[in-house]
Amino acid sequence: MCGIVGYIGSQEAQSILLDGLSKLEYRGYDSAGLAIYNGENIGFCKSQGRLADLKQKLETCLLPGNLGIGHTRWATHGKPSDENAHPHTDEQKMFAVVHNGIIENYAELKEELIAKGHVFTSETDTEVIAKLLSDHWDGSLVSTVQKVVQELRGAYALGIISEYEPDKLVAVRLASPLVIGVGKGENMIASDIPAILKYTRDVYLLDDGDMAVLTPDHVQLMRVDGTPIERETIQITWDVKQAEKDGYDHFMLKEINEQPRAIRDTLAGRIKKGRVDLSNELSISKEDLKNFERIHFVACGTAYHAGMIGKYVLEKLVRIPVEVDVASEYRYREPIVNERTLFVAISQSGETADTLAALKEAKRQGARILAITNVVGSSVAREADEVIITWAGPEIAVASTKAYTSQLIAVYLLGIYFAQMLETQSEQQLQTWVEELLQLPDKAASLLQPEQVEKVESYAREMSKHSSLFFIGRGLDYAVALEGSLKLKEISYIHSEAYAAGELKHGTLALIEEDVPVIALSTQKVLAEKTVSNVQEVKARGAYVLGVTNEADAELSKTADELISIPATLDLFAPVLAVIPLQLFAYYACLQRGFDVDKPRNLAKSVTVE
Ligand code: F6R
């Protein structure tokens, strides 16, 4: 997501900041900016787009000076633009602030500041921090920052400089990473280690609630309440390439491991007092909802598989008929669309040409458009009437993992929110769902524990020796089977098919013979017996079966050759957990076969052609 770099020392800050930001490019961003103190005042340069765009701008507005902060922004509050790019400042440009994270109470703070006469020039939550600094200025940078952070709720890593005290660079961390690089006659801050590795390998890691005050020769660490902290620096021994991946071998593995965080972030702020609240994001009223006679989920690939779950969830919870289509087929089947249609586009990138084309067609025919996307300000988001952002953070590996589980969370939130509005479910039932949703981050994390991962790895290494593999499941498990199969094909190039378990006997069973590997999912209690019968059918033909099931389900464990257990959860939410071992299975199968995990052949991350 966003990247922070700050420098104080005797060298020109501009090139160091730009170099540091370039090392954070892998995190994904849509605008960038610098603020540098030139001996008299703070100069700013900001640009939407890539660092190359910022560099081009800097050719005409040079920023000399030895104290500065820089930022790459991945839009959250407000679209990607020059105005919304960081650093942000106050009206007199006495302070400059860069920020990673989200200030949850920014709207109320902004309102108070506007009432006091402050004028905002961006749509960001960050700008309130700059205005608060100027509003609360008490003659000391450290104590003013301390006062301001007391008022902030949410997650933040901050870098702050001020014309009042240009011998200091101040950093604060709460739930958003920040490191301090200790050099000789110069010190730095960064949101991630690669940004400073060229200059120093000695770093302090800040903990939540820590603050650091940097001068060229000294770093003072304290808690935000001023209590001093004694801490040793640590020596970084890894290289830049490894650091970008947080020590993981591949982005895909890193992103699989980020799922508990991505799920938590997608839920954050959307459940209030035990109820789903999307009223800040959606303008759909109860009347609008009553007026919809159909919902269309439209997406491609992995996002389409999330749409299949969406159909199930919305129909079950909201009782409105739902259709789900792959976007490239949608327009050509002449779907029935009118102003009583709610069209839901799901797209990680928000730039997929097929999805965008289907969306535009539905819009032309009068449908209300809701986008579920991971990228603020993307084309799909801009075309939509309503947007739900999945807070998975940038996904770099071509094979989608954390975006998928975040899309599922968005779909569950939407289903529960609509069910609350239409009162189609009992209060008690709704509450049970909400409570269980909040458990999912921890349950997902338990599937990423070493002993679980090693088990999946050993099955993947063995089963990837085969040239063909089947995934079967019923109901929601069928949708997850499709996703597991797609993951495997994409990166390991093993032929695989996903089948509705009950459909095998209508033809595909002919392909099952001695030793053919079958991954059987059974997480849906009402379907468990039926699925086990289908597993017996493939076992009788000699298949080798790896079962994936909830801990409590004993039936499948008696039938399958091997078993992966997922934590017990409500049937509705099992896909979020069941998919994780399948993602790991594909990852380790790919490793076993020696292919490029993050960049599989013939595929692109964002497919902008129809
Ligand atoms: C598979 C994968 C693709 C995408 C599809 C849609 O791992 O990543 O199938 O899901 O290309 O992309 P978005 O979600 O960006 O529209």
Side-chain angles (χ1 to χ4, degrees):
M1 294 183 116
C2 309
I4 287 179
V5 187
Y7 175 84
I8 185 163
S10 53
Q11 300 191 59
E12 280 302 316
Q14 178 174 311
S15 57
I16 295 176
L17 296 177
L18 286 173
D19 178 63
L21 291 178
S22 73
K23 299 293 187 308
L24 301 178
E25 280 195 294
Y26 70 91
R27 296 159 71 98
Y29 67 101
D30 39 52
S31 58
L34 302 180
I36 295 178
Y37 178 72
N38 64 13
E40 279 180 18
N41 44 45
I42 302 173
F44 291 79
C45 187
K46 310 201 281 188
S47 175
Q48 184 184 343
R50 313 300 296 168
L51 276 179
D53 300 304
L54 178 67
K55 283 180 189 161
Q56 204 176 5
K57 254 191 169 177
L58 280 163
E59 282 171 16
T60 51
C61 64
L62 263 184
L63 292 181
N66 319 117
L67 165 69
I69 48 180
H71 192 261
T72 44
R73 172 173 187 258
W74 191 76
T76 58
H77 294 72
K79 60 188 179 298
S81 67
D82 289 6
E83 295 74 32
N84 288 337
H86 298 211
H88 286 283
T89 188
D90 55 301
E91 291 85 348
Q92 284 73 41
K93 293 198 164 57
M94 297 305 286
F95 298 90
V97 182
V98 285
H99 165 218
N100 284 0
I102 293 173
I103 304 300
E104 283 171 7
N105 58 335
Y106 89 100
E108 50 198 88
L109 292 171
K110 189 168 176 175
E111 227 170 86
E112 284 165 23
L113 287 160
I114 289 172
K116 285 182 174 179
H118 288 277
V119 179
F120 282 77
T121 54
S122 80
E123 302 159 284
T124 66
D125 50 344
T126 307
E127 197 181 349
V128 298
I129 305 173
K131 300 295 192 289
L132 281 173
L133 286 165
S134 113
D135 196 80
H136 296 6
W137 174 244
D138 65 4
S140 152
L141 184 58
V142 171
S143 87
T144 305
V145 172
Q146 285 168 342
K147 273 189 205 146
V148 167
V149 295
Q150 268 172 26
E151 293 188 23
L152 306 179
R153 263 201 336 265
Y156 45 83
L158 302 175
I160 299 169
I161 60 172
S162 171
E163 202 179 302
Y164 289 123
E165 293 185 32
D167 57 339
K168 289 188 186 75
L169 166 59
V170 175
V172 187
R173 174 202 156 128
L174 189 83
S176 199
L178 204 57
V179 299
I180 311 292
V182 183
K184 290 198 171 62
E186 57 185 8
N187 289 308
M188 295 182 73
I189 63 168
S191 50
D192 209 350
I193 289 166
I196 54 174
L197 270 188
K198 192 167 154 188
Y199 307 96
T200 178
R201 288 185 168 271
D202 295 321
V203 305
Y204 289 115
L205 301 180
L206 293 191
D207 288 335
D208 286 345
D210 284 353
M211 183 169 169
V213 183
L214 289 71
T215 63
D217 300 308
H218 187 62
V219 176
Q220 189 189 1
L221 298 182
M222 62 184 87
R223 301 290 293 163
V224 282
D225 63 6
T227 317
I229 303 173
E230 290 296 323
R231 190 169 298 160
E232 298 290 312
T233 55
I234 61 164
Q235 256 259 320
I236 303 300
T237 49
W238 355 297
D239 62 23
V240 169
K241 256 234 120 20
Q242 267 178 305
E244 284 174 358
K245 294 177 185 149
D246 273 355
Y248 289 103
D249 290 338
H250 301 97
F251 280 112
M252 183 180 177
L253 187 60
K254 173 174 178 263
E255 288 158 7
I256 290 173
N257 276 280
E258 281 173 343
Q259 289 179 110
R261 198 268 311 138
I263 296 170
R264 199 170 281 123
D265 286 357
T266 303
L267 289 170
R270 289 167 168 164
I271 295 181
K272 291 174 192 149
K273 298 197 180 121
R275 289 176 75 79
V276 173
D277 185 355
L278 300 177
S279 59
N280 285 339
E281 297 149 88
L282 304 185
S283 61
I284 297 173
S285 66
K286 186 172 177 176
E287 288 317 304
D288 296 334
L289 205 47
K290 276 188 181 160
N291 185 46
F292 294 137
E293 56 188 18
R294 65 181 80 83
I295 299 176
H296 287 176
F297 274 94
V298 178
C300 303
T302 289
Y304 168 73
H305 297 151
M308 287 180 74
I309 308 269
K311 170 180 166 65
Y312 185 96
V313 172
L314 272 280
E315 284 191 341
K316 181 179 167 74
L317 272 61
V318 192
R319 309 307 295 158
I320 298 178
V322 182
E323 291 172 43
V324 52
D325 280 79
V326 285
S328 53
E329 292 292 323
Y330 184 75
R331 281 188 298 166
Y332 309 105
R333 74 168 174 88
E334 296 182 29
I336 299 168
V337 182
N338 55 33
E339 46 299 322
R340 301 191 67 184
T341 308
L342 175 64
F343 177 100
V344 184
I346 307 183
S347 175
Q348 185 283 128
S349 61
E351 301 299 342
T352 301
D354 288 320
T355 309
L356 201 55
L359 181 161
K360 285 182 180 164
E361 179 57 22
K363 194 170 172 179
R364 196 185 62 77
Q365 294 188 38
R368 179 90 160 252
I369 311 292
L370 190 156
I372 297 177
T373 179
N374 200 33
V375 182
V376 175
S378 58
S379 305
V380 164
R382 285 201 308 271
E383 288 287 339
D385 305 303
E386 320 279 339
V387 182
I388 298 181
I389 296 292
T390 52
W391 296 112
E395 195 176 60
I396 297 181
V398 166
S400 185
T401 54
K402 61 176 181 170
Y404 171 73
T405 38
S406 308
Q407 285 160 356
L408 297 189
I409 298 297
V411 157
Y412 293 132
L413 288 168
L414 190 66
I416 297 174
Y417 183 61
F418 283 176
Q420 286 171 186
M421 268 193 187
L422 287 184
E423 298 169 32
T424 45
Q425 303 290 332
S426 71
E427 276 304 312
Q428 196 189 354
Q429 178 62 79
L430 290 167
Q431 213 173 346
T432 313
W433 283 325
V434 167
E435 279 164 17
E436 185 57 18
L437 262 185
L438 293 168
Q439 304 301 316
L440 291 179
D442 289 344
K443 291 187 178 178
S446 75
L447 287 164
L448 297 163
Q449 293 305 309
E451 61 282 8
Q452 276 279 353
V453 175
E454 279 157 24
K455 213 170 148 189
V456 178
E457 179 178 358
S458 73
Y459 298 142
R461 288 197 191 278
E462 229 10 77
M463 290 168 87
S464 60
K465 291 177 187 150
H466 293 261
S467 56
S468 184
L469 203 143
F470 291 82
F471 289 77
I472 58 171
R474 283 169 172 261
L476 288 175
D477 285 333
Y478 171 47
V480 179
L482 283 165
E483 176 56 10
S485 172
L486 176 63
K487 275 314 70 117
L488 187 70
K489 279 182 275 218
E490 251 183 306
I491 59 171
S492 76
Y493 316 148
I494 298 173
H495 167 256
S496 118
E497 303 217 20
Y499 262 84
E503 180 68 9
L504 275 184
K505 56 186 177 297
H506 298 289
T508 314
L509 203 53
L511 293 172
I512 305 293
E513 50 183 6
E514 205 56 39
D515 258 2
V516 168
V518 174
I519 298 187
L521 291 118
S522 177
T523 67
Q524 305 294 299
K525 284 174 203 61
V526 282
L527 297 169
E529 273 181 22
K530 291 253 183 307
T531 307
V532 167
S533 304
N534 301 136
V535 171
Q536 267 153 356
E537 286 161 15
V538 294
K539 281 291 301 168
R541 272 94 193 155
Y544 178 82
V545 177
L546 170 61
V548 178
T549 186
N550 320 36
E551 279 160 341
D553 188 345
E555 272 316 300
L556 188 65
S557 63
K558 285 186 220 140
T559 329
D561 295 285
E562 306 287 352
L563 203 70
I564 295 172
S565 295
I566 61 164
T569 184
L570 300 173
D571 289 5
L572 194 66
F573 302 136
V576 176
L577 303 178
V579 78
I580 294 176
L582 305 190
Q583 296 166 341
L584 288 165
F585 186 92
Y587 173 78
Y588 286 110
C590 171
L591 281 195
Q592 176 69 18
R593 292 165 70 93
F595 297 122
D596 185 338
V597 176
D598 289 332
K599 294 199 188 76
R601 70 184 177 209
N602 307 341
L603 301 177
K605 186 64 189 161
S606 182
V607 186
T608 50
V609 288
E610 275 185 57

